[in-house]
Amino acid sequence: MNPVALVASLLLAGPPTEPVSPEPGAIMQRALAAVGPVADVSSLRAEGEVRVPDHPERTVRFELLSIAGSPRRLLLRQRLPDGRQMEMGCQGEVGWMRRPGDDRAMPIEPVAVSATVAGLLPSRMVLSVADRFPHRQSAPAGAFEGRTCLRLDAEDRDGVKGRLWFDADSGRLAGIETEAKDAARPASRLVFEAWGAAGPLTVPTRLRMQRGDETLITEFRAISVEPIPEAAFAPPAEVREDADGP
């Protein structure tokens, strides 16, 4: 092509276009797909701990149990640093909680158990993020924790603004940054540091939360998708009596 024709073709082509960012829905769907067929996994048991790196004496150990479907079956047990235990669970329309240091269970609404426990399950974390941030829009890609990531600017159901980061190669959720809403809810940064296999799923196994001056590490030591006996979710006797009535 002669120089005149080359210049003419460049003028007709117009200025170079910026690369188009994927739609927010496509980014989130890819992150959900990266977890795997969650609907095919009916049972999940996870054991782990939450610790403060500089204060190992504050470590909390936990166990999570879940059977998907109806009725709802969820159970969370925590062992606090002082040895006391807390329990929260539901089976169908019966929910209960044992406060630390109190062996007697008290009834609570199953929806309160679901709201607290479901988002802690490693298999449902990404889905919980999608539900928490219904307002999402694409933003320029960038570096997050040393990785090239796609970014969504988001707002949660309480009006808190944040940024969702997704690994550009794998599509997995890489982290969440939220702005401060008030003194009780300072800015935070959650990093999905490691992922591992749980049956057919690939789930988060280590997370680092930074909020203010405090850092918390959540680590899942064992995750199983083997069937869980229904008896594991049996409500305490005193709660069953309250539910059955006089």
Side-chain angles (χ1 to χ4, degrees), residues 12-179:
L12 290 172
T17 58
E18 293 292 328
V20 178
S21 298
E23 290 294 319
I27 293 174
M28 185 59 71
Q29 285 301 317
R30 187 183 178 209
L32 292 168
V35 176
V38 174
D40 294 344
V41 176
S42 59
S43 297
L44 188 137
R45 181 192 300 267
E47 300 176 17
E49 64 183 30
V50 179
R51 64 181 183 273
V52 181
D54 296 333
H55 297 279
E57 72 280 1
R58 293 169 57 183
T59 298
V60 174
R61 291 176 173 80
F62 63 84
E63 180 183 32
L64 283 163
L65 285 76
S66 169
I67 297 181
S70 182
R72 287 173 290 191
R73 288 150 293 183
L74 293 167
L75 184 66
L76 167 64
R77 293 193 182 101
Q78 292 178 302
R79 180 178 292 276
L80 305 181
D82 60 8
R84 294 182 301 161
Q85 297 189 55
M86 188 279 283
E87 182 178 287
M88 175 182 289
C90 68
Q91 185 183 62
E93 298 305 312
V94 180
W96 70 91
M97 180 170 66
R98 284 192 176 99
R99 299 182 184 278
D102 188 352
D103 290 335
R104 182 173 176 80
M106 59 179 290
I108 61 173
E109 290 294 328
V111 67
V113 179
S114 295
T116 302
V117 178
L120 302 176
L121 294 167
S123 58
R124 297 187 62 84
M125 281 186 178
V126 179
L127 186 61
S128 295
V129 171
D131 182 66
R132 177 188 170 189
F133 293 94
H135 310 293
R136 305 182 292 265
Q137 62 181 17
S138 296
F144 180 82
E145 293 288 310
R147 290 176 285 171
T148 300
C149 290
L150 301 179
R151 171 182 150 192
L152 294 179
D153 287 343
E155 184 176 318
D156 73 9
R157 297 182 183 277
D158 294 328
V160 176
K161 297 184 183 299
R163 292 168 295 280
L164 311 179
W165 297 92
F166 301 83
D167 185 86
D169 292 330
S170 67
R172 294 176 190 153
L173 184 62
I176 306 169
E177 296 175 308
T178 61
E179 299 177 2

